[in-house]
């Protein structure tokens, strides 16, 4: 009887984790796709308008949500107040603009560090603002994983005081996006789709106002509208325009998979999955594209995977000992949808293309 009980409990645990694991796989596939497409956008077609590309992503995501609403897949919430939606939109745009400045004033190494620091920042803000801490085991697993990712992906770390301030602003912006949207959903009693559909129009307006920043990049020398015209004359083929649209569609898939994943887990586990994606892309580059693999990188990957395995083991034990809504996460989970993955990997590809061009 005891054996059957343990087997039944084990099967229940596996079944409970199927949905989050499926969402994680969906998210990894979507992010890998957007990485590949954005490399073409920036390298092959030299579309050096990152804020404009984010705006295209947001617009296509909005169209997708609007279509889903019209098809009856979810019901829009029409009584949401304006002020919190404007706040969320302004917060999102501020964070993304900070990310772009972070790209231009800091080295590749420090930019990578600023992305990695989002995970502990989520833990710190949850504790400081809401008194929601994590166990020593979780802290240990996350620390090992963060150290491993840093060793594997970071090479040069050279930063000025201004660059450090910008980098930390970006870190705090990413963490607060992953926390406060979920909190505001609860306050407004709105689902992820309803809130996203409600505040996306304000995001589009703010991004449109920020697009002149693109003309300040060194690649764009013809002023605001002139730079777009110059790009269209030199690179504006049907294939280039189609690739940009496909990039936007992948942005929609990334956003959808993100809210599904966080909706069944939490911001912390979402960040863990994000680091798994970083390692997967690193390994893919080594296996399929011949990227160099040093002993330092191998040690970093091994450490990171050890941290991920430890974290997963802790969460599986927690899920088998307590019946919670989410099998892989603690009770302080949040349902959320946002575009942070899109901007992270968009920025990464943009910086990578600029680095290669300089070499």
């Amino acid at each position: 009887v005891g054996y059957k009980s343990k087997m039944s409990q084990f099967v229940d645990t596996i079944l409970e984790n199927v949905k989050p694991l499926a969402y994680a796989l969906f998210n990894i596939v979507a992010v890998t796709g957007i990485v590949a497409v954005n490399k073409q956008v920036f390298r092959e077609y030299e579309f050096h308008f990152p804020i404009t590309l984010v705006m295209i992503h947001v617009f296509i995501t909005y169209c997708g949500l609007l279509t889903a609403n019209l098809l009856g897949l979810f019901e829009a919430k029409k009584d949401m107040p304006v002020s919190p939606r404007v706040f969320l939109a302004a917060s999102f745009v501020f964070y993304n603009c900070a990310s772009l400045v972070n790209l231009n004033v800091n080295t590749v190494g420090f930019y990578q560090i600023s992305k990695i620091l989002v995970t502990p920042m989520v833990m710190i803000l949850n504790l400081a603002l809401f008194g929601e801490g994590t166990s020593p085991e979780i802290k240990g697993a996350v620390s090992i994983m963060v150290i491993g990712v840093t060793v594997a992906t970071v090479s040069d770390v050279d930063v000025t005081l201004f660059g450090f301030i910008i980098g930390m602003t970006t870190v705090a912006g990413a963490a607060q996006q992953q926390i406060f949207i979920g909190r505001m959903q609860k306050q407004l009693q709105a689902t992820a789709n309803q809130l996203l559909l409600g505040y996306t129009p304000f995001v589009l307006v703010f991004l449109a106002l920020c697009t002149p920043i693109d003309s300040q990049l060194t690649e764009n020398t013809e002023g605001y509208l002139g730079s777009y015209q110059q790009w269209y004359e030199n690179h504006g083929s049907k294939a280039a325009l189609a690739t940009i649209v496909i990039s936007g569609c992948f942005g929609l898939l990334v956003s959808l998979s993100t809210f599904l994943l966080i909706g069944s887990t939490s911001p912390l586990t979402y960040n863990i999955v994000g680091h798994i994606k970083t390692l997967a892309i690193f390994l893919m580059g080594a296996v399929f594209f011949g990227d160099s693999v040093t002993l330092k990188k191998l040690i970093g990957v091994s450490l990171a995977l050890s941290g991920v395995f430890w974290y997963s083991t802790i969460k599986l034990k927690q899920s088998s000992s307590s019946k919670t809504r989410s099998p892989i996460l603690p009770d302080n989970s949040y349902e959320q949808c946002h575009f942070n993955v899109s901007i992270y990997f968009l920025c990464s590809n943009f910086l990578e293309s600029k680095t290669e061009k300089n070499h």
Side-chain angles (χ1 to χ4, degrees):
V1 177
Y3 174 77
K4 289 183 177 180
S5 177
K6 288 183 178 180
M7 282 300 298
S8 177
Q9 189 179 39
F10 176 76
V11 171
D12 288 342
T13 301
I14 295 297
L15 292 176
E16 285 175 346
N17 283 282
V18 167
K19 187 179 290 186
L21 290 173
Y23 293 156
L25 180 61
F26 178 24
N27 188 249
I28 291 171
V29 171
V31 168
T32 304
I34 204 172
V35 167
V37 174
N38 282 343
K39 282 184 178 180
Q40 274 197 306
V41 171
F42 288 126
R43 294 182 186 178
E44 186 173 342
Y45 301 118
E46 299 185 19
F47 190 80
H48 300 297
F49 304 94
I51 292 180
T52 303
L53 189 57
V54 174
M55 188 172 68
I56 294 171
H57 284 198
V58 173
F59 176 73
I60 292 178
T61 298
Y62 178 68
C63 290
L65 289 168
L66 200 59
T67 302
N69 176 50
L70 293 175
L71 292 175
L73 299 179
F74 75 94
E75 184 178 352
K77 189 177 178 65
K78 299 180 179 179
D79 58 347
M80 283 192 295
V82 173
S83 56
R85 290 185 287 160
V86 172
F87 171 79
L88 286 175
S91 173
F92 169 79
V93 173
F94 172 76
Y95 152 65
N96 284 310
C97 288
S99 295
L100 295 174
V101 175
N102 190 19
L103 283 174
N104 283 276
V105 302
N106 286 317
T107 62
V108 178
F110 190 76
Y111 177 73
Q112 280 292 111
I113 286 179
S114 68
K115 290 201 300 181
I116 293 166
L117 288 177
V118 173
T119 301
M121 182 60 73
V122 167
M123 299 169 66
I124 292 170
L125 288 181
N126 264 330
L127 179 62
L129 299 177
F130 307 109
E132 296 175 350
T134 54
S135 67
E137 291 82 5
I138 291 293
K139 291 184 178 71
V142 170
S143 297
I144 290 175
M145 182 205 61
V146 167
I147 292 171
V149 173
T150 302
V151 171
T153 61
V154 176
S155 54
D156 60 316
V157 181
D158 185 19
V159 62
T160 63
L161 177 60
F162 176 71
F164 178 80
I165 293 172
I166 293 296
M168 293 304 101
T169 300
T170 305
V171 170
Q176 62 87 23
Q177 278 282 313
Q178 295 178 25
I179 293 173
F180 283 104
I181 290 181
R183 296 279 174 176
M184 201 157 288
Q185 279 180 209
K186 292 182 178 180
Q187 293 177 10
L188 298 175
Q189 296 182 334
T191 65
N193 284 342
Q194 289 172 334
L195 184 58
L196 188 60
L197 182 63
Y199 89 92
T200 298
F202 297 103
V203 173
L204 287 171
V205 172
F206 288 142
L207 284 173
L209 294 175
C210 291
T211 51
I213 297 176
D214 284 340
S215 64
Q216 302 303 311
L217 298 177
T218 55
E219 293 85 358
N220 304 323
T221 59
E222 299 299 320
Y224 180 37
L225 296 179
S227 294
Y228 290 106
Q229 183 178 355
Q230 183 185 46
W231 176 83
Y232 185 77
E233 291 174 353
N234 295 334
H235 306 284
S237 62
K238 291 181 180 179
L241 297 175
T243 304
I244 291 172
V245 172
I246 292 172
S247 172
C249 292
F250 268 107
L252 169 61
L253 295 179
V254 167
S255 294
L256 177 62
S257 62
T258 297
F259 93 75
L260 289 172
L261 178 58
I262 296 184
S264 63
T265 58
S266 79
L268 180 57
T269 292
Y270 167 69
N271 273 275
I272 301 299
V273 173
H275 291 308
I276 295 174
K277 288 178 289 193
T278 299
L279 295 174
I281 291 170
F282 163 76
L283 293 173
M284 182 178 65
V287 174
F288 295 105
F289 301 106
D291 293 350
S292 61
V293 179
T294 63
L295 178 61
K296 173 176 170 288
K297 290 181 180 180
L298 288 175
I299 292 173
V301 170
S302 300
L303 277 174
L305 291 178
S306 299
V308 169
F309 178 77
W310 187 13
Y311 180 85
S312 302
T313 302
I314 294 168
K315 288 303 174 185
L316 285 172
K317 287 181 179 178
Q318 289 181 357
S319 68
S320 63
S321 61
S322 62
K323 296 294 182 180
T324 60
R325 179 180 70 86
S326 168
I328 299 185
L329 291 158
D331 292 333
N332 58 329
S333 57
Y334 316 106
E335 186 178 15
Q336 172 190 8
C337 181
H338 56 81
F339 307 102
N340 287 353
V341 178
S342 299
I343 188 66
Y344 269 161
F345 285 93
L346 185 153
C347 287
S348 297
N349 299 152
F350 180 57
L351 182 59
E352 190 175 341
S353 69
K354 289 181 68 177
T355 304
E356 288 186 355
K357 186 174 180 180
N358 291 336
H359 289 335

